[in-house]
Protein backbone atom coordinates (compact mmCIF):
# COMPACT_ATOMS: atom_id res chain seq x y z
CA UNK A 1 0.00 0.00 0.00
CA UNK A 2 2.81 2.40 0.91
CA UNK A 3 4.81 1.27 -2.10
CA UNK A 4 2.06 1.86 -4.66
CA UNK A 5 1.56 5.42 -3.43
CA UNK A 6 5.30 6.09 -3.56
CA UNK A 7 5.31 4.71 -7.11
CA UNK A 8 2.36 6.90 -8.12
CA UNK A 9 3.91 10.08 -6.64
CA UNK A 10 7.50 9.70 -7.81
CA UNK A 11 7.20 7.60 -10.97
CA UNK A 12 3.80 8.35 -12.46
CA UNK A 13 3.36 11.91 -11.21
CA UNK A 14 -0.34 11.21 -10.72
CA UNK A 15 -1.56 9.81 -7.43
CA UNK A 16 -4.58 9.07 -5.30
CA UNK A 17 -4.48 11.48 -2.35
CA UNK A 18 -7.26 9.74 -0.44
CA UNK A 19 -5.96 6.33 0.72
CA UNK A 20 -8.19 5.98 3.78
CA UNK A 21 -9.45 2.53 4.86
CA UNK A 22 -12.79 2.97 3.07
CA UNK A 23 -10.94 3.22 -0.25
CA UNK A 24 -8.93 0.04 0.27
CA UNK A 25 -10.37 -3.38 -0.43
CA UNK A 26 -8.94 -6.79 0.44
CA UNK A 27 -9.71 -9.08 -2.48
CA UNK A 28 -9.60 -12.73 -1.52
CA UNK A 29 -8.32 -14.97 -4.30
CA UNK A 30 -6.96 -18.47 -4.51
CA UNK A 31 -3.23 -18.27 -4.08
CA UNK A 32 -3.31 -15.13 -1.94
CA UNK A 33 -5.09 -11.91 -1.21
CA UNK A 34 -4.68 -8.67 -3.14
CA UNK A 35 -5.37 -5.05 -2.35
CA UNK A 36 -7.90 -3.15 -4.38
CA UNK A 37 -7.76 0.64 -4.45
CA UNK A 38 -10.97 2.52 -5.24
CA UNK A 39 -12.29 6.08 -5.42
CA UNK A 40 -9.70 8.06 -7.32
CA UNK A 41 -11.80 11.23 -6.99
CA UNK A 42 -9.07 13.09 -5.12
CA UNK A 43 -6.00 12.89 -7.33
CA UNK A 44 -3.05 15.19 -7.78
CA UNK A 45 -0.73 15.54 -10.75
CA UNK A 46 2.93 16.50 -10.22
CA UNK A 47 5.37 17.82 -12.79
CA UNK A 48 8.80 16.15 -12.96
CA UNK A 49 10.32 19.23 -11.32
CA UNK A 50 7.82 19.01 -8.43
CA UNK A 51 8.54 15.29 -8.09
CA UNK A 52 12.27 16.02 -7.73
CA UNK A 53 11.76 18.73 -5.12
CA UNK A 54 9.48 16.50 -3.06
CA UNK A 55 11.89 13.59 -3.53
CA UNK A 56 14.77 15.67 -2.17
CA UNK A 57 12.76 16.54 0.94
CA UNK A 58 11.74 12.91 1.48
CA UNK A 59 15.33 11.73 0.95
CA UNK A 60 16.73 14.29 3.39
CA UNK A 61 14.44 12.82 6.07
CA UNK A 62 15.06 9.18 5.04
CA UNK A 63 18.83 9.72 5.09
CA UNK A 64 18.62 11.43 8.50
CA UNK A 65 20.49 14.42 7.13
CA UNK A 66 21.37 17.37 9.39
CA UNK A 67 18.72 19.98 10.13
CA UNK A 68 20.16 22.43 7.61
CA UNK A 69 19.81 19.90 4.77
CA UNK A 70 16.20 19.02 5.65
CA UNK A 71 15.32 22.72 6.02
CA UNK A 72 17.03 23.58 2.71
CA UNK A 73 15.07 20.88 0.88
CA UNK A 74 11.89 22.28 2.44
CA UNK A 75 12.84 25.85 1.46
CA UNK A 76 13.52 24.68 -2.10
CA UNK A 77 9.91 23.52 -2.17
CA UNK A 78 8.90 27.14 -1.68
CA UNK A 79 7.68 27.05 1.91
CA UNK A 80 7.91 30.39 3.66
CA UNK A 81 7.78 30.96 7.39
CA UNK A 82 7.78 34.05 9.54
CA UNK A 83 11.25 33.47 11.06
CA UNK A 84 12.80 31.10 8.48
CA UNK A 85 13.86 28.84 11.35
CA UNK A 86 16.05 25.93 10.29
CA UNK A 87 15.15 24.00 13.45
CA UNK A 88 11.42 24.47 12.82
CA UNK A 89 11.60 23.40 9.16
CA UNK A 90 13.72 20.34 9.97
CA UNK A 91 11.39 19.21 12.75
CA UNK A 92 8.34 19.84 10.56
CA UNK A 93 9.86 17.83 7.67
CA UNK A 94 10.67 14.93 9.99
CA UNK A 95 7.18 15.10 11.50
CA UNK A 96 5.68 14.92 8.00
CA UNK A 97 7.71 12.04 6.59
CA UNK A 98 9.66 10.33 9.38
CA UNK A 99 8.44 7.80 11.93
CA UNK A 100 6.40 9.01 14.88
CA UNK A 101 8.60 9.83 17.83
CA UNK A 102 7.43 9.84 21.46
CA UNK A 103 7.69 13.66 21.57
CA UNK A 104 5.19 13.91 18.70
CA UNK A 105 2.52 12.80 21.18
CA UNK A 106 3.48 15.55 23.64
CA UNK A 107 1.32 18.67 23.40
CA UNK A 108 4.14 20.78 24.88
CA UNK A 109 6.50 19.66 22.08
CA UNK A 110 4.02 20.98 19.51
CA UNK A 111 3.57 24.21 21.44
CA UNK A 112 7.36 24.75 21.51
CA UNK A 113 7.53 24.00 17.78
CA UNK A 114 4.82 26.56 17.02
CA UNK A 115 6.60 29.18 19.14
CA UNK A 116 9.71 28.75 16.98
CA UNK A 117 8.02 29.79 13.75
CA UNK A 118 4.81 29.99 11.76
CA UNK A 119 4.09 28.83 8.21
CA UNK A 120 3.11 31.72 5.93
CA UNK A 121 2.97 29.72 2.69
CA UNK A 122 2.77 25.94 2.26
CA UNK A 123 3.45 24.71 -1.30
CA UNK A 124 0.28 23.49 -2.97
CA UNK A 125 2.07 20.62 -4.72
CA UNK A 126 3.20 19.33 -1.31
CA UNK A 127 -0.17 19.58 0.42
CA UNK A 128 -1.71 16.51 -1.21
CA UNK A 129 1.51 14.48 -0.81
CA UNK A 130 1.45 15.38 2.89
CA UNK A 131 -2.23 14.38 3.10
CA UNK A 132 -1.40 11.02 1.54
CA UNK A 133 1.49 10.57 3.98
CA UNK A 134 -0.75 11.36 6.96
CA UNK A 135 -3.47 8.96 5.88
CA UNK A 136 -1.05 6.11 5.21
CA UNK A 137 0.84 6.67 8.43
CA UNK A 138 -2.41 6.87 10.39
CA UNK A 139 -3.51 3.58 8.88
CA UNK A 140 -0.18 2.05 9.84
CA UNK A 141 -0.43 3.30 13.41
CA UNK A 142 -3.95 1.89 13.71
CA UNK A 143 -2.37 -1.49 12.86
CA UNK A 144 0.41 -0.84 15.43
CA UNK A 145 3.02 -0.21 12.71
CA UNK A 146 5.19 2.89 13.08
CA UNK A 147 6.40 3.22 9.51
CA UNK A 148 8.53 6.05 8.25
CA UNK A 149 6.97 7.29 5.02
CA UNK A 150 10.39 8.53 3.90
CA UNK A 151 11.86 5.05 4.36
CA UNK A 152 8.96 3.41 2.52
CA UNK A 153 9.21 5.89 -0.38
CA UNK A 154 13.01 6.23 -0.44
CA UNK A 155 13.70 4.03 -3.47
CA UNK A 156 10.96 5.75 -5.49
CA UNK A 157 12.33 9.17 -4.50
CA UNK A 158 15.84 8.10 -5.53
CA UNK A 159 14.49 6.95 -8.91
CA UNK A 160 12.76 10.30 -9.44
CA UNK A 161 15.96 12.22 -8.69
CA UNK A 162 18.04 9.97 -10.96
CA UNK A 163 15.53 10.19 -13.80
CA UNK A 164 15.37 13.97 -13.61
CA UNK A 165 18.97 14.96 -12.79
CA UNK A 166 18.88 17.96 -15.14
CA UNK A 167 15.86 19.43 -13.37
CA UNK A 168 17.77 19.52 -10.07
CA UNK A 169 20.19 22.12 -11.37
CA UNK A 170 17.47 24.57 -12.37
Amino acid sequence: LFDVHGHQIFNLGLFNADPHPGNILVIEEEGGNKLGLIDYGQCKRLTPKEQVKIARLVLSVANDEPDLEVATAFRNMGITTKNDSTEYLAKFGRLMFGPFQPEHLDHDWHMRLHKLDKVLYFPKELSMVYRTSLLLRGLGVSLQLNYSISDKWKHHAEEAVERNLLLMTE
Side-chain angles (χ1 to χ4, degrees):
L1 185 61
F2 289 81
D3 190 55
V4 73
H5 284 85
H7 175 76
Q8 290 174 356
I9 290 166
F10 296 110
N11 293 299
L12 302 178
L14 178 64
F15 65 98
N16 175 15
D18 199 22
H20 64 77
N23 288 341
I24 302 165
L25 305 174
V26 176
I27 302 167
E28 296 179 15
E29 291 185 348
E30 255 185 64
N33 296 337
K34 294 182 180 180
L35 288 179
L37 305 176
I38 62 171
D39 188 3
Y40 276 68
Q42 195 169 71
C43 290
K44 173 72 177 152
R45 185 175 302 277
L46 298 170
T47 68
K49 195 170 189 174
E50 290 167 341
Q51 287 174 296
V52 168
K53 287 180 180 182
I54 295 167
R56 291 175 78 191
L57 176 58
V58 167
L59 289 170
S60 71
V61 173
N63 295 332
D64 198 26
E65 293 181 7
D67 285 1
L68 182 59
E69 299 301 318
V70 177
T72 298
F74 221 152
R75 287 180 185 112
N76 289 341
M77 288 284 322
I79 193 168
T80 55
T81 64
K82 183 178 179 183
N83 303 322
D84 195 33
S85 167
T86 294
E87 180 183 357
Y88 175 85
L89 290 170
K91 285 182 177 182
F92 190 14
R94 290 186 178 100
L95 177 63
M96 289 173 63
F97 296 115
F100 280 126
Q101 300 296 329
E103 63 263 20
H104 296 159
L105 301 175
D106 179 6
H107 178 73
D108 291 335
W109 182 87
H110 287 274
M111 295 305 291
R112 287 190 303 276
L113 183 65
H114 289 288
K115 284 182 182 178
L116 279 175
D117 212 340
K118 176 183 175 183
V119 174
L120 301 176
Y121 173 77
F122 192 84
K124 63 182 182 344
E125 63 273 13
L126 187 56
S127 64
M128 296 304 266
V129 174
Y130 183 31
R131 173 186 164 74
T132 304
S133 170
L134 284 172
L135 288 169
L136 290 172
R137 210 164 50 170
L139 180 59
V141 167
S142 73
L143 299 170
Q144 298 182 352
L145 303 168
N146 185 13
Y147 287 141
S148 165
I149 295 296
S150 63
D151 288 347
K152 292 293 184 184
W153 289 353
K154 182 176 179 175
H155 67 281
H156 294 296
E158 289 170 337
E159 290 170 3
V161 169
E162 264 183 48
R163 191 175 53 253
N164 298 293
L165 277 175
L166 293 177
L167 296 174
M168 291 175 54
T169 59
E170 295 177 6

